[in-house]
Amino acid sequence: MTQEKHRSDTISTFATDLRELRLKAGDPTLAALESRTGISKSVISDAFAGRRLPTEKTVGQLVDAIGGNRAQWLERRAALDPKSQLPARVTQLPESTAGTRRTVSLLTTVLVAAGSAAVTAVVTSFVWSSLPSTEAAESSTPAASYIDYADGVDPMQTICREDAVIAASEERLDGDVLVQMMYSKQCMAVWGRITRYDGNAAGNSVSMLIYPAVDLESPRNQERSAYDVQSLYTTLMIEPDVEARVCGIATITNGGDPVELGPPMCV
């Protein structure tokens, strides 16, 4: 999206285009979007209504849920925000430490896969916790009610969601299914997410398994399956070893028959 287009943009047209993207995704309900993103229905409603400019996190999570280009939407949102100072913030990222080696590696993977246009989106996710934001007030899960993160815990109920980045993302079945691996640096946690765009969610299932790359049968494996849903994410796997890899395998059914979605995705 060009800078000239940005200059003629408004919050109203931004919201209108966001609504069109929602319709293309099958017009999911606010309740469904709240479940997929962890963002409250009132905040999502405001974003679609154009009452005010949504935060970076709201835009990123919402666009991920309805199949838009995260980098382009975040770039467009930044152009509408006169307070945006992302370039200055990027220069202040901390020096690499043992705890950040995994994150740096994951960011590199994303940038290589998605191209330079993804820089804004990925780095924005990386610095969520340090940017001035009103997101805490918008969250459907107040910080005081977060539960402790651990293997098997729902990531949307933990602080892990606050600095989550997309560590790997691939379209499968010619774009009918999106498979992703998510990562939180502050939790040293990984979880998987699968979203189908083929319109065949009703009567069928989606499943995803994440596991340590060295042990497909590990007791630490996390797996979830559900019927009649478009999107699903797994529970957490905590991996404090920054050199260790975690892999994910996703499957769907069509007409009750299992459909393989290609090779494991590892981060």
Side-chain angles (χ1 to χ4, degrees):
M1 197 170 295
T2 66
Q3 291 300 315
E4 181 176 353
K5 172 67 174 176
H6 282 157
R7 283 194 294 270
S8 63
D9 208 357
T10 67
I11 294 176
S12 177
T13 56
F14 184 91
T16 298
D17 292 346
L18 200 59
R19 291 195 298 273
E20 291 180 359
L21 187 64
R22 177 187 179 184
L23 288 173
K24 291 179 181 178
D27 199 17
T29 65
L30 293 180
L33 291 173
E34 180 182 51
S35 176
R36 295 174 199 170
T37 64
I39 297 171
S40 68
K41 289 185 288 186
S42 62
V43 173
I44 295 173
S45 177
D46 285 348
F48 285 127
R51 296 187 181 95
R52 58 191 176 91
L53 182 65
T55 65
E56 291 169 334
K57 185 177 178 183
T58 294
V59 172
Q61 297 281 78
L62 194 53
V63 169
D64 281 350
I66 56 179
N69 185 307
R70 184 186 181 98
Q72 290 182 0
W73 278 91
L74 286 177
E75 180 186 4
R76 182 176 174 184
R77 187 249 171 229
L80 286 169
D81 185 0
K83 298 180 181 179
S84 177
Q85 298 180 357
L86 183 58
R89 291 283 177 177
V90 171
T91 63
Q92 298 169 14
L93 290 176
E95 294 294 327
S96 177
T97 65
T100 62
R101 282 183 294 166
R102 170 187 281 273
T103 303
V104 171
S105 174
L106 298 179
L107 287 173
T108 301
T109 300
V110 177
L111 297 184
V112 170
S116 59
V119 172
T120 299
V122 174
V123 175
T124 298
S125 297
F126 183 80
V127 296
W128 273 341
S129 60
S130 63
L131 286 173
S133 173
T134 59
E135 194 65 27
E138 297 181 353
S139 173
S140 62
T141 306
S145 66
Y146 281 143
I147 62 176
D148 292 337
Y149 54 86
D151 282 354
V153 172
D154 180 346
M156 293 300 106
Q157 300 300 315
T158 71
I159 198 172
C160 307
R161 58 182 278 187
E162 293 297 331
D163 73 331
V165 296
I166 300 173
S169 181
E170 291 183 11
E171 293 184 348
R172 304 284 173 89
L173 299 182
D174 296 323
D176 281 348
V177 180
L178 180 66
V179 180
Q180 298 172 308
M181 295 289 281
M182 312 297 294
Y183 178 71
S184 163
K185 172 184 169 248
Q186 63 183 327
C187 298
M188 303 298 281
V190 180
W191 63 98
R193 182 165 65 185
I194 175 174
T195 306
R196 65 190 303 164
Y197 298 107
D198 59 358
N200 295 326
N204 287 298
S205 68
V206 292
S207 304
M208 191 158 184
L209 164 73
I210 62 171
Y211 60 94
V214 297
D215 186 6
L216 180 58
E217 304 299 326
S218 170
R220 299 177 55 220
N221 290 0
Q222 305 297 322
E223 184 173 17
R224 286 190 68 199
S225 299
Y227 282 89
D228 302 317
V229 299
Q230 182 183 12
S231 184
L232 169 147
Y233 54 84
T234 72
T235 46
L236 292 174
M237 178 184 293
I238 308 302
E239 183 50 79
D241 181 356
V242 296
E243 302 298 335
R245 303 187 77 200
V246 177
C247 298
I249 298 176
T251 59
I252 64 171
T253 62
N254 268 327
D257 298 323
V259 179
E260 296 295 334
L261 298 180
M265 179 181 295
C266 299
V267 295

